[in-house]
Amino acid sequence: IANATVQWQVLSGNASLNSSSSTTDGSGRAQTTVHFGLTPGSSDVRATVQPNANSLPLSVDFQLSAANPTMSVVAGDGQSGPVGTAIDRPIEFQLRGGDGAAFVGQSVQLAVSGPGSLTSAAIATTDAAGKVAAMVQFADAAGLVRVDATALDGRAMASATLNAYVPALSVLSGD
């Protein structure tokens, strides 16, 4: 049915709709966007259309699920280097939705604990692959350095570990 108004309604769950009504296209199709809340789980959404003034409304219910997003370290974890130097390669974190799709354009907070500091921005935005990169400079003390990435109000987190060491000198010959 072309040009019919479809009413959309969230019946249950933690979701909201971009629009509560839409109009069918020439093929009789209608759509709206469902936004899931911060709590993963299922939501029920109903679409209702009344084909004409003489007919009863027709409804269809959809059960949709949202899973927790994930953050993972995809490159640069486990690097070591001398105190006072920068790591050789950036640490890359990747943010994905519960369906495995990359989260694009999301803010990720980066933080360092231990003898080091970020040389890249503390807040980065995910690229088309859902990735952000962090560069770290080791301080003048040896030890483990942890780089944390957090997104979506703490719902997705990952950590990378680095090791800063004091280079050892040894006498190869002579006194």
Side-chain angles (χ1 to χ4, degrees), residues 16-44:
S16 63
L17 301 171
N18 195 41
S19 176
S20 62
S21 68
S22 60
T23 303
T24 58
D25 63 16
S27 299
R29 296 183 183 137
Q31 67 183 19
T32 192
T33 302
V34 178
H35 298 278
F36 290 99
L38 294 177
T39 306
S42 65
S43 294
D44 294 317

Side-chain angles (χ1 to χ4, degrees), residues 14-161:
N14 188 13
S16 63
L17 301 171
N18 195 41
S19 176
S20 62
S21 68
S22 60
T23 303
T24 58
D25 63 16
S27 299
R29 296 183 183 137
Q31 67 183 19
T32 192
T33 302
V34 178
H35 298 278
F36 290 99
L38 294 177
T39 306
S42 65
S43 294
D44 294 317
V45 175
R46 176 173 289 160
T48 304
V49 63
Q50 186 161 358
N52 60 55
N54 298 322
S55 66
L56 294 173
L58 303 172
S59 295
V60 62
D61 292 347
F62 302 92
Q63 186 176 51
L64 309 170
S65 295
N68 273 325
T70 59
M71 176 83 72
S72 60
V73 181
V74 293
D77 192 17
Q79 295 180 67
S80 294
V83 296
T85 65
I87 58 175
D88 293 330
R89 304 177 322 277
I91 301 165
E92 292 183 14
F93 297 94
Q94 188 171 39
L95 180 61
R96 293 189 173 276
D99 61 356
F103 264 94
V104 178
Q106 293 293 316
S107 291
V108 176
Q109 293 76 36
L110 300 163
V112 172
S113 57
S117 61
L118 287 171
T119 58
S120 55
I123 297 177
T125 302
T126 57
D127 64 13
K131 294 180 182 180
V132 296
M135 285 298 291
V136 174
Q137 172 83 27
F138 293 125
D140 291 331
L144 291 179
V145 177
R146 191 174 86 196
V147 182
D148 296 318
T150 306
L152 302 169
D153 297 323
R155 291 177 44 219
M157 298 179 284
S159 297
T161 304

